[in-house]
Amino acid sequence: MATFHCRSAFISDVHLGTPDCKASYLLDFLRKLRCEKLYLVGDIIDMEALARRTWWHADHGAVIAEVLDLARRGVEVIYIPGNHDAPVRGLAGQCFGGVKIELDAVHEGADGRRYHVSHGDEFDPEQVGRTWMVHLGEVMHRFICWTNRRVHAMRRRMELPYLPLSIIVKSHIGKALAYIRAYEERVANDARERGFDGHICGHIHFGHVRDMDGVLYLNDGDWVEHCTVLVEDHTGAMELIHWSEQYAPLGRASRELVLPSPAAALALAPLTRAKLDLAELRPAA
């Protein structure tokens, strides 16, 4: 694929500055991207991790350079900081290198639908904490990510496609899935109360396209585990796609039809074996 054309793209939870970041896949996507708007929906640079340990790969700097180059070429780039790059929130309203920094945004689709865009950490209940990872335990989560890195490195040496091991594991943990579903309900309810057609966020590292009683919940996933991006085509349809050695559409929402993200692709069947076609997905009930 020489270029990838869309109207708007939404990326979050890149976590530059951590070994888990799949910067090479994101860099490949950005270099092929041709769009009008690019939303960086938080946790782009993991300032929390960098405060604990300095770690930076050349690809991480290249990702930043590519974003700045897109802005120079006329793409409207909006950066909405998350909880891991929260210090940037103090710069809201300013513009750096053509990148606008905002606390949140309202995106109007080509079909007239209006979406509230935010990182999503504001929907974490206080009793739960800032992320759903507390259900797994921080130590367990780090072990899963560490294992994911090792498996990924081994598969690359064997010239095998990316395997989202951590997502497969966490998708089988009941408490994690229960938290994700409750989170989606809170986000959708907030969008409904504000009069939006949907909400676009990241934060929980679980990409999803879901219609919730007439309100669209759109989570763009992450570039630590999923390697996913949410894109809008020129008709206003929203699509969640996986991007690594192979391209895989995971869900689509147009005015006429919502094709929800297939659970099998994320929880049961590795994306390396799931060469998905949107025609194979069942419409939402």
Side-chain angles (χ1 to χ4, degrees), residues 34-116:
R34 302 293 182 271
C35 66
E36 298 173 14
K37 286 187 176 184
L38 172 62
Y39 289 86
L40 306 175
V41 195
D43 287 1
I44 304 303
I45 301 175
D46 197 324
M47 295 180 177
E48 285 189 1
L50 288 171
R52 294 192 301 266
R53 182 185 70 163
T54 302
W55 192 96
W56 196 263
H57 190 278
D59 283 348
H60 295 207
V63 166
I64 294 175
E66 196 64 34
V67 169
L68 293 173
D69 187 58
L70 286 168
R72 283 193 294 269
R73 298 204 312 257
V75 175
E76 184 179 357
V77 181
I78 300 170
Y79 182 8
I80 300 170
N83 52 301
H84 283 265
D85 45 14
V88 183
R89 288 172 171 166
L91 302 175
Q94 300 187 46
C95 185
F96 295 90
V99 177
K100 303 174 185 176
I101 301 175
E102 303 291 349
L103 295 179
D104 61 356
V106 175
H107 175 75
E108 184 169 342
D111 56 7
R113 289 185 291 183
R114 296 171 66 252
Y115 302 92
H116 187 204

Coordinates of all heavy atoms in Angstrom, one line a residue, residues 34-116:
R34 N -2.4 10.1 4.2 CA -2.8 11.3 3.5 C -4.2 11.7 4.0 O -5.2 11.0 3.8 CB -2.9 11.1 2.0 CG -1.6 10.7 1.4 CD -0.5 11.7 1.4 NE 0.7 11.3 0.8 CZ 1.7 10.6 1.4 NH1 1.6 10.3 2.7 NH2 2.8 10.2 0.7
C35 N -4.3 12.8 4.8 CA -5.5 13.1 5.5 C -5.6 14.7 5.6 O -4.7 15.4 5.4 CB -5.7 12.5 6.8 SG -4.5 13.0 8.1
E36 N -6.8 15.1 6.1 CA -7.0 16.5 6.3 C -6.8 16.9 7.8 O -6.2 17.9 8.1 CB -8.5 16.9 5.9 CG -8.8 16.7 4.5 CD -10.3 17.0 4.2 OE1 -11.0 17.5 5.0 OE2 -10.7 16.6 3.1
K37 N -7.2 15.9 8.7 CA -7.0 16.2 10.1 C -6.4 15.0 10.8 O -6.8 13.8 10.5 CB -8.4 16.5 10.8 CG -9.0 17.8 10.5 CD -10.2 18.0 11.3 CE -10.8 19.5 11.2 NZ -11.9 19.7 12.0
L38 N -5.5 15.2 11.7 CA -4.9 14.2 12.6 C -5.1 14.6 14.0 O -4.6 15.6 14.5 CB -3.4 14.0 12.2 CG -2.6 13.1 13.2 CD1 -3.2 11.6 13.1 CD2 -1.2 13.1 12.8
Y39 N -5.8 13.7 14.8 CA -6.0 13.9 16.2 C -5.0 13.0 17.0 O -5.0 11.8 16.8 CB -7.4 13.6 16.6 CG -8.5 14.6 16.1 CD1 -9.0 14.5 14.8 CD2 -8.9 15.6 16.9 CE1 -10.0 15.4 14.4 CE2 -9.9 16.5 16.5 CZ -10.4 16.4 15.2 OH -11.4 17.3 14.8
L40 N -4.3 13.6 17.9 CA -3.4 12.8 18.8 C -4.1 12.8 20.1 O -4.2 13.8 20.8 CB -2.0 13.5 18.9 CG -1.3 13.7 17.6 CD1 0.0 14.5 17.8 CD2 -1.0 12.4 16.8
V41 N -4.8 11.7 20.4 CA -5.7 11.6 21.5 C -5.1 11.2 22.8 O -5.7 10.3 23.5 CB -7.0 10.8 21.1 CG1 -8.1 11.0 22.0 CG2 -7.4 11.1 19.7
G42 N -4.0 11.7 23.2 CA -3.4 11.5 24.5 C -2.4 10.3 24.6 O -2.4 9.4 23.9
D43 N -1.6 10.5 25.6 CA -0.5 9.5 26.0 C 0.4 9.2 24.8 O 0.7 8.1 24.5 CB -1.1 8.2 26.5 CG -1.7 8.3 27.9 OD1 -1.6 9.4 28.4 OD2 -2.2 7.3 28.4
I44 N 0.7 10.3 24.1 CA 1.6 10.2 22.9 C 3.1 9.9 23.4 O 3.7 9.0 23.0 CB 1.5 11.4 22.0 CG1 0.1 11.6 21.6 CG2 2.4 11.2 20.8 CD1 -0.6 10.5 20.9
I45 N 3.5 10.8 24.3 CA 4.8 10.6 24.9 C 4.6 10.2 26.4 O 3.8 10.9 27.1 CB 5.6 11.9 24.9 CG1 5.9 12.4 23.4 CG2 7.0 11.7 25.6 CD1 6.6 13.7 23.3
D46 N 5.1 9.1 26.8 CA 4.9 8.7 28.2 C 5.9 9.4 29.1 O 7.0 8.9 29.5 CB 5.1 7.2 28.3 CG 4.5 6.6 29.6 OD1 4.6 7.3 30.6 OD2 4.0 5.5 29.5
M47 N 5.5 10.6 29.6 CA 6.3 11.4 30.5 C 6.5 10.7 31.8 O 7.5 10.9 32.5 CB 5.8 12.8 30.6 CG 5.8 13.6 29.3 SD 5.1 15.2 29.4 CE 5.3 15.8 27.7
E48 N 5.5 10.0 32.3 CA 5.6 9.3 33.5 C 6.7 8.3 33.5 O 7.5 8.1 34.4 CB 4.3 8.6 33.9 CG 3.2 9.5 34.4 CD 2.0 8.8 34.9 OE1 2.0 7.5 34.9 OE2 1.0 9.4 35.3
A49 N 6.8 7.5 32.4 CA 7.8 6.5 32.3 C 9.2 7.1 32.1 O 10.2 6.6 32.7 CB 7.5 5.6 31.1
L50 N 9.3 8.2 31.4 CA 10.5 8.9 31.2 C 11.1 9.5 32.5 O 12.3 9.6 32.6 CB 10.4 9.9 30.1 CG 10.3 9.4 28.6 CD1 9.9 10.5 27.7 CD2 11.5 8.7 28.2
A51 N 10.2 9.9 33.4 CA 10.6 10.4 34.7 C 11.2 9.3 35.5 O 12.1 9.6 36.4 CB 9.4 11.0 35.4
R52 N 10.8 8.1 35.3 CA 11.4 7.0 36.1 C 12.7 6.4 35.5 O 13.6 6.1 36.1 CB 10.4 5.8 36.2 CG 9.1 6.1 37.0 CD 8.3 4.9 37.3 NE 7.9 4.2 36.0 CZ 6.7 4.4 35.4 NH1 5.9 5.3 35.9 NH2 6.4 3.7 34.3
R53 N 12.7 6.4 34.1 CA 13.8 5.9 33.4 C 13.9 6.5 32.0 O 12.9 6.5 31.3 CB 13.7 4.3 33.3 CG 14.9 3.7 32.6 CD 14.7 2.2 32.4 NE 13.7 1.9 31.4 CZ 13.6 0.7 30.8 NH1 14.4 -0.3 31.1 NH2 12.7 0.5 29.9
T54 N 15.1 6.9 31.6 CA 15.3 7.5 30.3 C 15.5 6.4 29.3 O 16.4 5.6 29.4 CB 16.5 8.5 30.3 OG1 16.3 9.5 31.2 CG2 16.7 9.1 28.9
W55 N 14.6 6.3 28.4 CA 14.7 5.3 27.3 C 14.1 5.9 26.0 O 12.9 6.4 26.0 CB 13.9 4.0 27.7 CG 14.1 2.8 26.8 CD1 15.0 1.8 27.1 CD2 13.5 2.5 25.6 NE1 15.0 0.9 26.0 CE2 14.1 1.3 25.1 CE3 12.5 3.2 24.8 CZ2 13.7 0.7 23.9 CZ3 12.2 2.6 23.6 CH2 12.7 1.4 23.1
W56 N 14.8 5.8 25.0 CA 14.3 6.5 23.7 C 15.0 5.8 22.5 O 16.2 5.6 22.5 CB 14.7 7.9 23.7 CG 13.9 8.7 22.7 CD1 14.4 9.1 21.4 CD2 12.6 9.3 22.8 NE1 13.4 9.8 20.8 CE2 12.3 9.9 21.6 CE3 11.7 9.3 23.8 CZ2 11.1 10.6 21.4 CZ3 10.4 9.9 23.6 CH2 10.2 10.5 22.4
H57 N 14.2 5.3 21.6 CA 14.6 4.7 20.4 C 14.6 5.7 19.2 O 13.8 6.6 19.2 CB 13.7 3.5 20.1 CG 14.3 2.6 19.0 ND1 14.0 2.9 17.6 CD2 15.0 1.5 19.0 CE1 14.6 1.9 16.9 NE2 15.2 1.1 17.7
A58 N 15.4 5.5 18.2 CA 15.4 6.5 17.1 C 14.1 6.5 16.4 O 13.7 7.6 15.9 CB 16.5 6.0 16.1
D59 N 13.3 5.4 16.4 CA 12.0 5.4 15.7 C 11.0 6.4 16.5 O 10.1 6.9 15.9 CB 11.4 4.0 15.7 CG 12.0 3.2 14.6 OD1 12.7 3.7 13.7 OD2 11.8 2.0 14.6
H60 N 11.3 6.5 17.8 CA 10.4 7.4 18.6 C 10.5 8.8 18.1 O 9.6 9.6 18.0 CB 10.7 7.2 20.1 CG 10.3 5.9 20.6 ND1 10.0 5.6 21.9 CD2 10.3 4.6 19.9 CE1 9.7 4.3 22.0 NE2 9.9 3.7 20.9
G61 N 11.8 9.3 17.9 CA 12.0 10.6 17.4 C 11.5 10.8 16.0 O 11.0 11.8 15.7
A62 N 11.6 9.7 15.2 CA 11.1 9.8 13.9 C 9.6 9.9 13.8 O 9.1 10.6 12.9 CB 11.5 8.5 13.1
V63 N 8.9 9.3 14.8 CA 7.4 9.5 14.8 C 7.1 11.0 15.0 O 6.2 11.5 14.4 CB 6.8 8.6 15.9 CG1 5.4 9.1 16.2 CG2 6.8 7.2 15.6
I64 N 7.8 11.6 16.0 CA 7.5 13.0 16.3 C 7.8 13.9 15.0 O 7.1 14.8 14.7 CB 8.4 13.5 17.5 CG1 7.9 12.8 18.7 CG2 8.3 15.0 17.7 CD1 8.7 13.1 20.0
A65 N 9.0 13.6 14.4 CA 9.3 14.3 13.2 C 8.3 14.2 12.1 O 8.0 15.1 11.4 CB 10.7 13.8 12.7
E66 N 7.7 13.0 12.0 CA 6.7 12.7 10.9 C 5.5 13.5 11.2 O 4.8 14.0 10.3 CB 6.4 11.2 10.8 CG 5.7 10.8 9.5 CD 6.5 11.0 8.3 OE1 7.8 10.9 8.3 OE2 5.9 11.4 7.2
V67 N 5.1 13.6 12.5 CA 3.9 14.3 12.8 C 4.1 15.8 12.5 O 3.2 16.5 11.9 CB 3.5 14.2 14.3 CG1 2.5 15.2 14.8 CG2 3.1 12.7 14.6
L68 N 5.2 16.3 12.8 CA 5.5 17.7 12.5 C 5.6 18.0 11.0 O 5.2 19.0 10.6 CB 6.9 18.1 13.2 CG 6.9 18.2 14.7 CD1 8.3 18.4 15.2 CD2 5.9 19.2 15.2
D69 N 6.1 17.0 10.3 CA 6.1 17.1 8.8 C 4.7 17.1 8.3 O 4.4 17.9 7.3 CB 6.9 16.0 8.2 CG 7.1 16.2 6.7 OD1 7.7 17.2 6.3 OD2 6.7 15.3 6.0
L70 N 3.8 16.3 8.8 CA 2.4 16.3 8.4 C 1.8 17.7 8.6 O 1.0 18.2 7.7 CB 1.6 15.3 9.1 CG 1.8 13.8 8.7 CD1 1.2 12.9 9.7 CD2 1.2 13.6 7.3
A71 N 2.1 18.3 9.8 CA 1.6 19.7 10.1 C 2.1 20.7 9.1 O 1.4 21.6 8.6 CB 1.9 20.1 11.5
R72 N 3.4 20.6 8.7 CA 4.0 21.5 7.8 C 3.4 21.3 6.4 O 3.3 22.3 5.6 CB 5.5 21.2 7.7 CG 6.3 21.8 8.9 CD 7.8 21.9 8.6 NE 8.3 20.5 8.5 CZ 8.8 19.8 9.5 NH1 8.9 20.4 10.7 NH2 9.3 18.6 9.3
R73 N 2.9 20.1 6.1 CA 2.3 19.9 4.8 C 0.9 20.3 4.7 O 0.2 20.1 3.7 CB 2.5 18.4 4.4 CG 3.9 18.0 4.3 CD 4.1 16.7 3.4 NE 3.2 15.7 3.7 CZ 3.5 14.6 4.3 NH1 4.7 14.4 4.9 NH2 2.6 13.6 4.5
G74 N 0.3 20.9 5.8 CA -1.0 21.4 5.8 C -2.1 20.6 6.5 O -3.2 21.0 6.5
V75 N -1.7 19.5 7.1 CA -2.6 18.7 7.8 C -2.9 19.4 9.2 O -2.0 19.9 9.8 CB -2.1 17.3 8.1 CG1 -3.0 16.5 9.0 CG2 -1.8 16.5 6.8
E76 N -4.2 19.5 9.5 CA -4.5 20.1 10.8 C -4.3 19.0 11.9 O -5.0 18.0 11.9 CB -6.0 20.5 10.8 CG -6.4 21.2 12.1 CD -7.8 21.7 12.1 OE1 -8.5 21.5 11.1 OE2 -8.3 22.2 13.2
V77 N -3.3 19.3 12.7 CA -2.9 18.3 13.8 C -3.4 18.9 15.1 O -3.0 20.0 15.5 CB -1.4 18.0 13.8 CG1 -1.1 17.0 14.9 CG2 -1.0 17.5 12.4
I78 N -4.2 18.1 15.9 CA -4.7 18.5 17.2 C -4.2 17.5 18.2 O -4.5 16.3 18.1 CB -6.2 18.6 17.2 CG1 -6.7 19.6 16.1 CG2 -6.8 19.0 18.6 CD1 -8.2 19.6 15.9
Y79 N -3.5 18.0 19.2 CA -2.9 17.2 20.3 C -3.7 17.4 21.5 O -3.8 18.5 22.1 CB -1.5 17.6 20.4 CG -0.7 16.8 21.5 CD1 -1.2 15.7 22.1 CD2 0.6 17.2 21.8 CE1 -0.4 15.0 23.0 CE2 1.4 16.5 22.7 CZ 0.9 15.4 23.3 OH 1.6 14.7 24.2
I80 N -4.4 16.3 22.0 CA -5.2 16.3 23.2 C -4.4 15.5 24.3 O -4.4 14.2 24.2 CB -6.6 15.8 23.0 CG1 -7.3 16.6 22.0 CG2 -7.4 15.7 24.3 CD1 -8.6 16.0 21.5
P81 N -3.7 16.1 25.2 CA -2.9 15.3 26.1 C -3.7 14.3 27.0 O -4.9 14.6 27.3 CB -2.2 16.3 27.0 CG -2.3 17.6 26.2 CD -3.5 17.5 25.4
G82 N -3.1 13.2 27.4 CA -3.7 12.3 28.3 C -3.1 12.3 29.7 O -2.4 13.3 30.0
N83 N -3.3 11.2 30.4 CA -2.8 11.2 31.8 C -1.3 10.9 31.9 O -0.6 11.4 32.8 CB -3.5 10.2 32.6 CG -3.6 8.8 32.0 OD1 -4.1 8.6 30.9 ND2 -3.1 7.8 32.7
H84 N -0.7 10.3 30.8 CA 0.7 10.0 30.8 C 1.5 11.2 30.3 O 2.7 11.2 30.4 CB 1.0 8.7 30.1 CG 0.7 7.5 30.9 ND1 1.7 6.8 31.6 CD2 -0.4 6.8 31.1 CE1 1.1 5.8 32.2 NE2 -0.2 5.8 31.9
D85 N 0.9 12.1 29.6 CA 1.5 13.3 29.1 C 0.8 14.5 29.6 O 0.7 15.6 29.0 CB 1.7 13.4 27.6 CG 0.4 13.0 26.8 OD1 -0.7 12.9 27.5 OD2 0.5 12.7 25.6
A86 N 0.3 14.4 30.9 CA -0.6 15.4 31.5 C 0.1 16.8 31.6 O -0.6 17.8 31.5 CB -1.0 15.0 32.9
P87 N 1.5 16.9 31.8 CA 2.1 18.2 31.9 C 1.8 19.1 30.6 O 1.8 20.3 30.7 CB 3.6 17.9 32.0 CG 3.6 16.6 32.7 CD 2.4 15.8 32.1
V88 N 1.6 18.5 29.5 CA 1.3 19.2 28.3 C -0.1 19.9 28.3 O -0.3 20.9 27.6 CB 1.4 18.3 27.0 CG1 1.2 19.1 25.7 CG2 2.7 17.6 27.0
R89 N -0.9 19.5 29.2 CA -2.2 20.1 29.4 C -2.1 21.6 29.8 O -3.0 22.4 29.5 CB -3.1 19.4 30.4 CG -3.6 18.1 29.9 CD -4.3 17.2 30.9 NE -4.9 16.0 30.3 CZ -5.4 15.0 31.0 NH1 -5.2 15.0 32.4 NH2 -6.0 14.0 30.4
G90 N -1.0 22.0 30.4 CA -0.8 23.3 30.8 C -0.5 24.2 29.6 O -0.5 25.5 29.8
L91 N -0.3 23.7 28.4 CA 0.0 24.4 27.2 C -1.3 24.5 26.3 O -1.2 24.9 25.2 CB 1.1 23.8 26.4 CG 2.4 23.6 27.2 CD1 3.4 22.9 26.3 CD2 3.0 25.0 27.6
A92 N -2.4 24.1 26.8 CA -3.7 24.1 26.1 C -3.9 25.5 25.5 O -3.8 26.5 26.2 CB -4.9 23.7 26.9
G93 N -4.3 25.6 24.2 CA -4.6 26.8 23.5 C -3.4 27.3 22.7 O -3.6 28.3 22.0
Q94 N -2.3 26.7 22.9 CA -1.1 27.1 22.2 C -0.8 26.2 21.0 O -1.4 25.1 20.9 CB 0.1 27.2 23.1 CG -0.1 28.1 24.3 CD 1.2 28.2 25.1 OE1 2.3 28.4 24.6 NE2 1.1 28.1 26.4
C95 N 0.1 26.6 20.1 CA 0.4 25.9 18.9 C 1.9 25.8 18.8 O 2.6 26.8 18.9 CB -0.2 26.6 17.7 SG 0.0 25.7 16.1
F96 N 2.4 24.6 18.6 CA 3.9 24.4 18.5 C 4.2 23.6 17.2 O 3.7 22.5 17.0 CB 4.4 23.6 19.7 CG 4.3 24.4 21.0 CD1 3.2 24.3 21.8 CD2 5.3 25.2 21.4 CE1 3.1 25.0 22.9 CE2 5.2 25.9 22.6 CZ 4.1 25.8 23.4
G97 N 4.9 24.2 16.3 CA 5.3 23.5 15.1 C 4.1 23.2 14.2 O 4.1 22.2 13.5
G98 N 3.0 23.9 14.3 CA 1.8 23.7 13.6 C 0.8 22.7 14.3 O -0.2 22.4 13.8
V99 N 1.2 22.2 15.5 CA 0.4 21.3 16.2 C -0.4 22.1 17.3 O 0.2 22.7 18.2 CB 1.2 20.2 16.9 CG1 0.4 19.3 17.8 CG2 2.0 19.4 15.8
K100 N -1.7 22.0 17.2 CA -2.5 22.7 18.2 C -2.8 21.8 19.4 O -3.1 20.6 19.3 CB -3.9 23.0 17.6 CG -3.8 23.9 16.3 CD -5.2 24.0 15.7 CE -5.2 24.7 14.4 NZ -6.5 24.8 13.7
I101 N -2.6 22.4 20.6 CA -2.8 21.7 21.9 C -4.2 22.1 22.5 O -4.4 23.3 22.7 CB -1.7 21.9 22.9 CG1 -0.3 21.5 22.2 CG2 -1.9 21.2 24.2 CD1 0.9 21.8 23.1
E102 N -5.0 21.1 22.7 CA -6.3 21.4 23.3 C -6.6 20.3 24.4 O -6.1 19.2 24.3 CB -7.4 21.3 22.2 CG -7.2 22.2 21.0 CD -7.4 23.7 21.4 OE1 -7.9 24.0 22.5 OE2 -7.1 24.6 20.5
L103 N -7.5 20.7 25.3 CA -7.9 19.7 26.4 C -8.9 18.7 25.8 O -8.9 17.5 26.3 CB -8.5 20.5 27.5 CG -7.5 21.4 28.3 CD1 -8.2 22.1 29.4 CD2 -6.3 20.7 28.8
D104 N -9.7 19.1 24.9 CA -10.6 18.2 24.2 C -11.0 18.8 22.9 O -10.5 20.0 22.6 CB -11.8 17.8 25.1 CG -12.7 19.0 25.4 OD1 -12.3 20.2 25.1 OD2 -13.7 18.8 26.1
A105 N -11.8 18.2 22.1 CA -12.2 18.8 20.8 C -13.6 18.3 20.5 O -14.1 17.3 21.0 CB -11.2 18.4 19.8
V106 N -14.2 19.0 19.5 CA -15.5 18.5 18.9 C -15.2 18.3 17.4 O -14.7 19.2 16.7 CB -16.6 19.6 19.1 CG1 -17.9 19.1 18.3 CG2 -17.0 19.8 20.5
H107 N -15.4 17.1 17.0 CA -15.1 16.8 15.6 C -16.4 16.6 14.9 O -17.3 15.8 15.3 CB -14.3 15.5 15.5 CG -14.1 15.0 14.1 ND1 -13.2 15.6 13.2 CD2 -14.7 14.0 13.3 CE1 -13.3 15.0 12.0 NE2 -14.2 14.1 12.1
E108 N -16.6 17.3 13.8 CA -17.8 17.2 12.9 C -17.4 16.3 11.7 O -16.6 16.7 10.9 CB -18.3 18.5 12.5 CG -19.6 18.4 11.7 CD -20.3 19.7 11.5 OE1 -20.1 20.7 12.2 OE2 -21.2 19.8 10.5
G109 N -18.1 15.2 11.6 CA -17.8 14.3 10.5 C -18.3 14.8 9.2 O -19.1 15.8 9.1
A110 N -17.9 14.2 8.1 CA -18.3 14.6 6.8 C -19.8 14.4 6.6 O -20.4 15.1 5.7 CB -17.5 13.8 5.7
D111 N -20.4 13.5 7.4 CA -21.9 13.3 7.3 C -22.7 14.1 8.3 O -23.9 13.9 8.4 CB -22.2 11.8 7.5 CG -21.6 11.2 8.8 OD1 -21.1 12.1 9.6 OD2 -21.7 10.0 9.0
G112 N -22.0 15.0 9.0 CA -22.7 15.9 9.9 C -22.8 15.5 11.3 O -23.2 16.2 12.2
R113 N -22.3 14.2 11.6 CA -22.4 13.8 13.0 C -21.3 14.4 13.8 O -20.2 14.7 13.3 CB -22.2 12.2 13.0 CG -23.4 11.5 12.5 CD -23.3 10.0 12.6 NE -22.2 9.4 11.8 CZ -22.0 8.1 11.7 NH1 -22.6 7.3 12.4 NH2 -21.0 7.7 10.9
R114 N -21.6 14.7 15.0 CA -20.7 15.4 15.9 C -20.2 14.5 17.0 O -21.0 13.8 17.7 CB -21.4 16.6 16.5 CG -21.8 17.7 15.5 CD -22.7 18.8 16.1 NE -21.9 19.6 17.1 CZ -22.1 19.5 18.4 NH1 -23.0 18.7 19.0 NH2 -21.4 20.3 19.3
Y115 N -18.9 14.5 17.2 CA -18.2 13.7 18.2 C -17.4 14.5 19.2 O -16.7 15.4 18.8 CB -17.3 12.7 17.5 CG -17.9 11.8 16.5 CD1 -17.9 12.2 15.1 CD2 -18.5 10.6 16.8 CE1 -18.5 11.4 14.2 CE2 -19.0 9.8 15.8 CZ -19.0 10.2 14.5 OH -19.6 9.4 13.5
H116 N -17.6 14.1 20.5 CA -16.7 14.7 21.5 C -15.4 13.8 21.5 O -15.5 12.6 21.5 CB -17.4 14.6 22.9 CG -16.6 15.3 23.9 ND1 -16.7 15.0 25.3 CD2 -15.7 16.3 23.9 CE1 -15.9 15.8 26.0 NE2 -15.3 16.6 25.2

